[in-house]
Amino acid sequence: MTIGSNPGTIWGFGFLAVTIINLASLLGLILTPLLKKSYFPKVLTYFVGLAIGTLFSNAIFQLIPEAFGFDPKVDNYIEKAVAVFGGFYILFFVERILKVILKIYNQAGHNDSESGEQNHSQDKTNPPKPPSSSNGGTCYANSAVIESNGSLGFDSISMVSAQEEAVQSRLCKCLNGRPLSKIGTIAWMVTLSDALHNFIDGLAIGASFTLSLLQGLSTSIAILCEEFPHELGDFVILLNAGMSTRQALFFNFLSACSCYVGMAFGILVGNNFAPNIIFAVAGGMFLYISLADMFPEMNDMLREKVTGRKTDLTFFLIQNAGLLTGFTAILMITLYAGSIQL
C-alpha cells in the first residue's frame, strides 16, 4: 500500500485529488440559484454534518495516531478512537434531545399569550425597513448571519448610494464587477484566510500520499466534504461584500489554488523528512474546524422562521445521517486499509 517508492504516482494522485477538491470552489455558480429553494437548507445541513463526521474521524483515526507513530494493525487503537467519537456523539445526541424538549415546552408556554402572537403576526406583515444612510442611499447587510439568540444579525454592512446602485446593476449585467477599491474589506480577509486554510489542506494531502494511497484518499475525502459547504459559504460572503459573480468565482478559485502549493510542499517534506509534524498540525486543525467552526454552523441552521416539532426532528435526523455517514466512511477505510489493493 505504500507508494513512496514511486514519486510519479504520489504527484499524480496528489494533483488529481487537489484538482477535484478545488472544483468545489466553482460550485457557487451552479448552486446559487438553489439557495432560495425550500429544500436547500436540509441538503446543506447534511453536507455540514458529513464534513464534521469525516474531519473529526480522520483526525482521531488516522492523522493524530500517525503523528504518534501508531499502526492500526499493531497498536490496536481503533477501538479507543471509536470510543472517542462515541463520547462526542452521545453528548451531541443528548444535547439535541434536551433542546428539542425545552423548545416544545417554551412554545407551549408562549401559546398561552395571545397578545404575543398578535404582535408576532404584525411583525411578519410589516417587516422592518433597512436603515437609511446619511447620503440618502440604502444600507444593505448580509442576511445570512444569524445571532446565537436566533435573531437576524447584520454583518458586513455597506452603504450604497442611489447612483452607485445603478452603476453596480449595469456592471453586474456585463459581469465586469465593481472596482476592487469599493469591495468590502471582509472579502479580502475571507480570501486570504481561505488561501492559508487551503495551503494547510494541501500540506495534509501531500504528506498523506507519501505515506500510503489509502491515507491520502482518506484525507482527501475528509477535505472534500469540508470544502463543499465552506466554499459555498465563502462565495455568498464575497457576493454580499460587493463582488460580482465573476469576481467571486475568480478570487474563490484563486485562493483554492494555494492547495497546490501546500500539496507540493507536503510531498517534498514527506519524502525527505518525517511527516509526523504535518499530521499533528493537520489533525489539530481538523478538530478545530469540525468542532469549533462547522459544528456551531450546523446548529445555527435549525433557527428558521418556521419552527416546530416536525422541523426540528427532520433536521436532527439529517444531522445524524451526515455525522454517521462521515464516521462510517473513515472507519471503513481505516479498518480495511491493509486489505484494499489500489
Side-chain angles (χ1 to χ4, degrees), residues 15-30:
F15 185 85
L16 178 62
V18 172
T19 301
I20 295 175
I21 292 172
N22 282 349
L23 291 178
S25 64
L26 303 177
L27 288 176
L29 181 63
I30 303 174

Side-chain angles (χ1 to χ4, degrees), residues 38 65 97 101 104 178 209 211 215 221 237 257 280 283 288 332:
S38 59
I97 293 296
I101 295 175
I104 295 174
R178 301 177 64 189
F209 274 112
L211 183 67
Q215 179 77 37
I221 291 175
I237 293 175
C257 288
Y288 177 84
M332 291 298 101

Side-chain angles (χ1 to χ4, degrees), residues 68-240:
F68 287 102
F70 294 156
D71 188 313
K73 299 297 182 183
V74 177
D75 298 290
N76 195 23
Y77 67 84
I78 296 181
E79 295 179 357
K80 302 178 181 64
V82 171
V84 172
F85 182 86
F88 157 75
Y89 182 76
I90 289 174
L91 288 182
F92 160 75
F93 188 87
V94 172
E95 181 186 20
R96 288 303 311 149
I97 293 296
L98 289 177
K99 284 184 177 181
V100 171
I101 295 175
L102 291 176
K103 182 177 292 187
I104 295 174
Y105 177 79
N106 291 332
Q107 287 178 349
H110 286 303
N111 288 336
D112 296 336
S113 176
E114 295 180 357
S115 60
E117 293 179 354
Q118 293 176 356
N119 294 333
H120 185 64
S121 62
Q122 291 178 358
D123 292 338
K124 287 185 176 181
T125 56
N126 299 317
K129 296 181 180 180
S132 300
S133 64
S134 58
N135 59 1
T138 305
C139 177
Y140 291 94
N142 178 8
S143 59
V145 178
I146 301 176
E147 300 293 341
S148 58
N149 58 3
S151 60
L152 187 64
F154 296 129
D155 187 23
S156 309
I157 299 178
S158 58
M159 308 301 296
V160 183
S161 64
Q163 294 180 353
E164 290 175 342
E165 187 174 351
V167 173
Q168 181 180 351
S169 62
R170 290 196 298 268
L171 291 176
C172 290
K173 290 181 180 179
C174 61
L175 295 180
N176 288 333
R178 301 177 64 189
L180 299 183
S181 59
K182 295 185 178 181
I183 295 175
T185 307
I186 189 175
W188 309 119
M189 295 175 60
V190 168
T191 302
L192 291 177
S193 62
D194 195 32
L196 178 61
H197 173 84
N198 291 324
F199 177 80
I200 300 298
D201 287 344
L203 275 178
I205 292 173
S208 297
F209 274 112
T210 61
L211 183 67
S212 69
L213 184 58
L214 258 297
Q215 179 77 37
L217 178 62
S218 175
T219 302
S220 300
I221 291 175
I223 294 176
L224 177 62
C225 294
E226 177 262 335
E227 282 298 305
F228 173 76
H230 179 77
E231 294 294 344
L232 182 60
D234 288 347
F235 183 77
V236 174
I237 293 175
L238 295 181
L239 290 180
N240 289 331

